[in-house]
Amino acid sequence: MTVPPAAAPTATWASAATADRHDSRPQARASLLEAVTDLRRDVAGTRFPLPLPGVEVAEARRRQLLDQLDDHLLPRLRELSAPAVVVVAGSTGAGKSTVVNSLLGAEVSAAGVLRPTTRRPVLAHHPDDADLLRLHPLLDIVDVVEHRAVPRGIALVDAPDLDSLVVTNRSTAHRLLEAADLWLFVTTAARYGDALPWEVLEEAAGRGTSMAMVLNRVPGEALVTVRGELMQRMRARGMAAVPLFLIHDAGPHEGLLEAGAVAPILRWLTMVAGPDRARAVIARTQRGSLAALRPWVDDLAEAVQAQVDARQALELVVRSAIEAPLARAADAASAGAVADGPVQARWTALTAKGGPLAGRWTSRWGRSARIQAVDELAATVRSAVTVALTHARQSGSDAAAEALASTDVVGAGGVLQALELLGDQPRTATASVSPADSAAEWMAGAVQLVHHLADQRPGRGAAALARAVGENGVAGLVAAAAVGVDGARAGLSAALGAETAAQVVGLGSAELASRVRTQVEGGAAAALDVLASSDLADDAASRLLLRRAVLKDLA
């Protein structure tokens, strides 16, 4: 509606509002406050680890939702009697500060020709409302002014420009609008067609935010045309019921506008300041905010689910990529490839004519030389196993990286970037033990296997072999046989019997193949660890959907 100019009221805002004020302080339903608090916790804990298309928008919406919860809904639910937050907003040069100062009849907010004028928001409230506002989170980002011209039940905020060249000003302006119970939007005859303000207004109207429009600096000759065009725009956007106030162009001037210029706005705000009307405004905006939460949370949940879907697809890429290296590495270990090179060379040297392992191993003669020779053989085997496990691990890492670099699955680039940032940092437990530690464990297992054999199947052949090379020496021979040294396998068969030797060597070979596979998987584990974030778990979106369902039942 358009309110015609009128003389300023004689009563102060404070007296008009206080005369009608209720002393009771209503409380929000505990269940609703708890539901919104739970939602806030889960929204704050929501993360988007994968750089998927649209993730920047989702993160911006998440922060915006947090602002809405922190600055408006939660403070309002915790203190329903707190003054209605009336945010005076608009574009650069609209005259917001001048309007605020003129309404209060005092210079409380800097106004001038330099832009941006409002660098830090100003919040003005009645002194008697200080206690109700003392815990409000907005107090951290505004300069607070106590003024008796402000009616009890209203906190008037002069916000920075929505289109400010200063990023922090724009951010603060939007945050204040999210916190508002009522918007007083100021534009001018020259700027009312700007796109940005209308985008903000349409979003607010869509969620039922209470608002009013001030058309400032209207030239007399253009009043009818400008007012008609502006009202047409408002009707087209479902804002026909939004109050519209006109302030005539006062020409070049400094300081406050004449009292009559802002009198209609002052009367309307005085009326709004009444407890019942203020609560009605607060309730309307609160209902709209609660209703708007549901699609908002749906959008966040969809963004989280997109992350989960991408994680599942990327895990499949990685696991599929290591299938071939897994098979190759395990087959090579079972086929005796570990024995090729240094191990076979060491065995050949030790068993050559005149070597410590030439002839009968169980002979009493040369025992110390044989023990030393088998120890050297065991050290060579351990070194070769470490090399094989290291190669297996690298093959898994390379396969995963190559698959991620070549796939068109969204999010792969983010995983590769995370791997580059991790570098050589220690991995989580899923990455398995290091190749060197795994080789040492495998060798220790051979010793335990020999001890178990001695306890379960004592025999003269086994005892004679243990006397000849020592129990650790027998384990060294088992390890050599398990990695593929045929001569060691033949010697064990002669000493232990073919069946026992085959069983012992088979167990060692199978364990080695298992450790090789584990290392291939360990190489890919770094990529899988990046994808193992709880933010990408199968049920990551379920918490938000649960909060949405609870709010639907309560709101």
Side-chain angles (χ1 to χ4, degrees):
M1 66 178 181
T2 302
V3 181
T10 56
T12 66
W13 286 13
S15 62
T18 306
D20 195 26
R21 184 169 182 268
H22 293 199
D23 292 329
S24 61
R25 292 173 65 169
Q27 303 294 316
R29 285 178 293 161
S31 56
L32 180 57
L33 176 58
E34 182 180 352
V36 176
T37 301
D38 289 344
L39 173 63
R40 196 268 173 212
R41 181 195 62 228
D42 289 339
V43 170
T46 298
R47 296 290 182 272
F48 306 105
L50 299 176
L52 307 183
V55 74
E56 296 86 358
V57 174
E59 177 58 26
R61 293 284 285 169
R62 186 188 75 87
R63 291 194 299 268
Q64 189 181 7
L65 177 54
L66 282 177
D67 286 343
Q68 169 75 195
L69 294 170
D70 288 342
D71 296 336
H72 180 235
L73 274 173
L74 284 172
R76 178 57 63 199
L77 291 173
R78 289 168 182 151
E79 183 53 83
L80 292 178
S81 296
V85 177
V86 180
V87 174
V88 182
S91 302
T92 301
K96 300 181 296 297
S97 298
T98 298
V99 169
V100 170
N101 292 336
S102 301
L103 287 169
L104 295 179
E107 294 277 358
V108 298
S109 187
V113 296
L114 296 179
R115 298 288 176 255
T117 300
T118 305
R119 292 176 175 82
R120 183 171 168 86
V122 173
L123 183 149
H125 68 83
H126 190 281
D128 292 343
D129 278 338
D131 184 60
L132 292 173
L133 282 168
R134 66 186 179 85
L135 297 179
H136 201 293
L138 288 185
L139 298 190
D140 294 334
I141 63 168
V142 300
D143 290 332
V144 179
V145 175
E146 293 187 1
H147 201 289
R148 290 196 172 274
V150 184
R152 293 204 65 180
I154 276 184
L156 197 63
V157 183
D158 183 13
D161 302 328
L162 278 172
D163 55 355
S164 173
L165 296 176
V166 182
V167 175
T168 53
N169 277 1
R170 294 200 304 271
S171 175
T172 300
H174 283 279
R175 178 178 173 185
L176 289 170
L177 289 176
E178 292 296 339
D181 295 301
L182 187 152
W183 292 11
L184 189 61
F185 199 87
V186 181
T187 187
T188 67
R191 301 289 304 272
Y192 70 89
D194 291 355
L196 177 60
W198 285 108
E199 291 176 7
V200 177
L201 287 169
E202 284 186 79
E203 183 178 346
R207 66 172 185 253
T209 301
S210 299
M211 65 180 75
M213 180 85 74
V214 176
L215 182 61
N216 193 17
R217 304 193 192 110
V218 184
E221 65 276 10
L223 188 149
V224 175
T225 301
V226 172
R227 180 178 58 187
E229 290 181 359
L230 181 55
M231 293 184 69
Q232 184 178 357
R233 284 175 178 266
M234 294 171 66
R235 285 193 296 270
R237 291 165 173 80
M239 298 168 58
V242 171
L244 172 62
F245 301 96
L246 303 179
I247 299 178
H248 292 275
D249 188 3
H253 76 284
E254 293 183 4
L256 308 181
L257 298 170
E258 294 182 2
V262 296
I265 308 172
L266 187 148
R267 283 199 303 272
W268 180 74
L269 286 173
T270 301
M271 178 185 66
V272 169
D276 292 335
R277 291 186 179 275
R279 287 172 188 169
V281 168
I282 289 169
R284 180 175 186 270
T285 301
Q286 180 178 302
R287 285 194 300 272
S289 297
L290 287 170
L293 286 181
R294 296 197 291 273
W296 213 333
V297 173
D298 278 342
D299 289 346
L300 281 185
E302 287 181 10
V304 171
Q305 189 58 49
Q307 295 269 315
V308 174
D309 294 343
R311 183 222 85 211
Q312 293 172 341
L314 290 169
E315 280 186 344
L316 182 60
V317 167
V318 173
R319 296 190 186 283
S320 298
I322 63 173
E323 288 180 358
L326 276 171
R328 286 196 302 270
D331 289 347
S334 300
V338 178
D340 295 341
V343 175
Q344 193 62 54
R346 172 71 66 178
W347 177 261
T348 299
L350 294 177
T351 57
K353 186 176 181 180
L357 294 183
R360 293 178 58 198
W361 295 354
T362 54
S363 170
R364 293 183 179 181
W365 304 108
R367 182 173 185 272
S368 60
R370 282 195 297 272
I371 290 176
Q372 181 179 352
V374 175
D375 285 345
E376 294 173 357
L377 176 65
T380 304
V381 170
R382 175 174 173 173
S383 177
V385 170
T386 300
V387 170
L389 294 177
T390 300
H391 176 74
R393 191 183 192 90
Q394 190 62 49
S395 69
S397 177
D398 291 345
E402 291 170 5
L404 289 170
S406 60
T407 185
D408 57 359
V409 174
V410 291
V415 179
L416 287 172
Q417 186 177 19
L419 292 177
E420 291 175 2
L421 292 175
L422 285 172
D424 295 329
Q425 294 180 29
R427 310 299 188 201
T428 63
T430 58
S432 77
V433 297
S434 69
D437 289 344
S438 184
E441 291 175 358
W442 182 74
M443 293 295 294
V447 174
Q448 294 174 356
L449 188 60
V450 169
H451 289 168
H452 178 75
L453 176 67
D455 292 339
Q456 297 298 319
R457 296 187 179 182
R460 287 190 299 174
L465 183 59
R467 286 194 299 271
V469 298
E471 286 190 345
N472 287 345
V474 176
L477 291 172
V478 169
V483 299
V485 177
D486 292 336
R489 184 172 300 185
L492 288 173
S493 293
L496 306 177
E499 182 179 352
T500 299
Q503 182 181 7
V504 171
V505 172
L507 288 172
S509 180
E511 175 65 15
L512 177 59
S514 175
R515 288 181 177 272
V516 166
R517 286 192 292 270
T518 298
Q519 289 301 318
V520 174
E521 293 171 345
L528 294 174
D529 283 347
V530 172
L531 297 170
S533 166
S534 60
D535 298 311
L536 300 173
D538 288 344
D539 62 346
S542 62
R543 294 189 301 272
L544 292 172
L545 294 176
L546 174 62
R547 302 303 167 213
R548 180 197 181 282
V550 171
L551 280 173
K552 183 179 180 181
D553 292 338
L554 292 174

